[in-house]
Amino acid sequence: MEKNELIAKMNSVLAGEFEVEESSITPDANIKETLELDSLSLVDMIALVEEEFGVEIKGQNVGQVKTFANLYDFVFDKLNA
Amino acid sequence: MEKRVVITGMGIYSCLGKTLDEVRDSLYNGVSGIVLDQERKDLGFRSGLTSKLEVPDLKGQLSRGQRVFMPEPAKYAYAATADALKQAKLDQDYIDAHEIGLLYGNDSTAEPVYKSVETMFRKKNTTLIGSGGIFQSMNSTVTMNLGCIFHLKGINLTVSGACASSSHAIGLGALLIKNGLQNIVVCGGAQEVNPYAVGSFDGISAFSVRESDPTAASRPFDKDRDGLVPGGGAATVIIEEYEHAVKRGAPIIAEIVSWGFSSNGDHISSPNVAGPAKSLEYALLHAKESHGLNVNEIGYVNAHATSTHIGDMNEAKAIDQILGAHKPYVTSTKSQTGHEMWMAGASEVIYSTLMMKNDFVAANLNFNTPDPELPALNIPGERVATHFDTFLSNSFGFGGTNSTIIVRNL
């Protein structure tokens, strides 16, 4: 999957699940703030990314993925590793 | 002095309708909510019979952050409770400023348990179960969800008493109000309708296999009954201290006169006569002591009768034993709904109240050939136009738990 295609799909999936405007998802935006995630719904985002893209965000990686750009890079790199 | 307890709101989400008016009409017209479900046949069920109702889509009514913790029975319970609170004139401002209790019957939440375990086996990573799994899987899931959504701040407790769960919930709520511990309690019961919850129940041959004619399958008291049909949904009854309801200007629908209860202390699945008889006897004794109610004032008995051979038989014997020469109409609304299990005690108080308010007793469907082994009860196979001001509702459950509620018109 091309990175642009991956980004578009991720934005659509995340906006749909967490019920936010897709336009609010930008590369530099903070994931937790934009999707209004608390400690419980953060778990749901991790489960959703695994379910939709087959990539697990584990351990210290959770803390490193702060912005959507971080997330796009993390998932894209894992898929192409 | 013991306080009086009245019903000030009712809400229901059932195979007979999603509003009180729809349900009243279905009762009046003898509608059956029973269908044959192919998914159950595909899963190897002996019987694919079940009541049919869709899970409410609460998107737009509740946030994702609320919905993610709600399994099927909690969604039914939300729909029923929102309507009941509205009828009772309890808006969010009032609820936020007062202490309102919550006692709801529920005794399983199988689907999220199954899904959580399936994810665990498949993924070997518990994080991937998602955040809703634990909250959806607990037996108290309905009360934890309703308490948070509606901001209820009184007692908050799930009542698990098998198929008598929600009848006991109403009885316990009434007890708290009678003793001055709560002014208002949201009572009710919810029952999931998915196949996972009842697979083993099917496996022990408890269900009717009359698949060729689903609407004829639930036939309480009929000679040719061959088992129950599982059903579900949710029913909510708002109960309130009488003077409190009067001061609040709430609609006063009926009075909870008494609650009888007992335990068979016997077999886990086979009911006896003595236990149900004691529950009936206690309810009538308490009604006599607190309200001077005479057994002859009971105008209608909503039987537990689930369409099983021994259950219907032993309940009929208990009714005959305790009510004696008095022969009020006796029917089982499960002939229309199937067995709504954890929900049944509350839903059947609502069904009976709707009949009482509208001067009829719904037909005991499929009562074509009275079982000659039954004692003589007054069971109408057709709808009866009649006025009655007091009814009695029985609910019995596995393990031999019995509950009887007596309700009077106001």
Side-chain angles (χ1 to χ4, degrees), chain B residues 50-386:
Chain B
T50 178
S51 73
K52 180 177 171 58
L53 70 168
E54 64 275 12
V55 180
D57 179 7
L58 300 178
K59 199 170 182 178
Q61 295 181 62
L62 297 174
S63 70
R64 179 201 177 274
Q66 292 170 308
R67 299 193 317 272
V68 76
F69 306 124
M70 299 174 75
E72 182 194 348
K75 290 177 181 173
Y76 297 142
Y78 169 80
T81 302
D83 286 350
L85 290 169
K86 191 173 179 184
Q87 187 184 33
K89 297 185 179 173
L90 292 167
D91 61 23
Q92 199 58 56
D93 287 344
Y94 185 91
I95 294 170
D96 287 343
H98 296 82
E99 184 182 305
I100 294 177
L102 173 64
L103 288 168
Y104 222 84
N106 186 53
D107 213 346
S108 71
T109 174
E111 188 165 22
V113 174
Y114 153 69
K115 287 187 172 173
S116 295
V117 173
E118 191 275 334
T119 300
M120 229 184 315
F121 276 117
R122 187 165 45 90
K123 299 285 188 179
K124 313 289 187 203
N125 181 343
T126 54
T127 299
L128 302 182
I129 293 169
S131 72
I134 177 62
F135 306 101
Q136 292 193 26
S137 297
M138 294 170 71
N139 213 41
S140 55
T141 185
V142 175
T143 44
M144 70 170 78
N145 274 290
L146 294 184
C148 293
I149 291 168
F150 292 110
H151 306 171
L152 303 175
K153 299 182 192 72
I155 188 167
N156 181 335
L157 191 66
T158 291
V159 180
S160 293
C163 298
S165 293
S166 55
S167 183
H168 284 311
I170 293 172
L172 286 166
L175 197 61
L176 291 176
I177 292 172
K178 280 183 179 181
N179 287 284
L181 297 173
Q182 296 276 268
N183 286 319
I184 302 173
V185 184
V186 176
C187 295
Q191 173 63 52
E192 58 187 330
V193 189
N194 63 75
Y196 317 113
V198 292
S200 176
F201 206 175
D202 176 76
I204 61 171
S205 304
F207 296 168
S208 167
V209 291
R210 195 184 287 264
E211 293 179 324
S212 60
D213 193 0
T215 63
S218 185
R219 42 196 317 116
F221 302 121
D222 184 79
K223 176 176 167 290
D224 297 321
R225 65 192 183 279
D226 71 330
L228 64 88
V229 176
T236 300
V237 179
I238 311 292
I239 63 173
E240 185 164 355
E241 195 275 320
Y242 173 72
E243 297 292 344
H244 191 271
V246 170
K247 280 183 196 159
R248 206 169 57 76
I252 295 173
I253 299 164
E255 179 171 11
I256 307 289
V257 172
S258 71
W259 173 38
F261 50 84
S262 70
S263 175
N264 294 349
D266 196 347
H267 193 272
I268 199 161
S269 63
S270 285
N272 62 22
V273 179
K278 188 187 279 186
S279 181
L280 280 159
E281 193 175 13
Y282 278 6
L284 286 164
L285 180 66
H286 296 156
K288 179 81 172 174
E289 288 174 351
S290 63
H291 291 74
L293 188 95
N294 190 290
V295 65
N296 293 331
E297 294 177 62
I298 303 289
Y300 168 62
V301 173
N302 186 284
H304 174 70
T306 63
S307 191
T308 65
H309 182 76
I310 190 167
D312 294 10
M313 176 70 68
N314 286 353
E315 183 179 11
K317 287 177 180 173
I319 292 169
D320 185 58
Q321 180 185 319
I322 300 302
L323 269 60
H326 178 53
K327 299 290 180 189
Y329 291 114
V330 178
T331 72
S332 172
T333 41
K334 293 182 179 76
S335 63
Q336 293 183 258
T337 62
H339 188 0
E340 295 173 323
M341 297 191 277
W342 333 145
M343 162 198 181
S347 62
E348 290 168 13
V349 162
I350 292 177
Y351 300 146
S352 302
T353 301
L354 289 171
M355 290 189 261
M356 182 167 70
K357 289 289 182 186
N358 291 281
D359 290 333
F360 71 97
V361 169
N364 191 101
L365 294 188
N366 307 309
F367 187 60
N368 300 339
T369 310
D371 185 340
E373 295 178 35
L374 290 177
L377 299 180
N378 186 8
I379 302 169
E382 302 290 335
R383 183 185 68 235
V384 181
T386 182

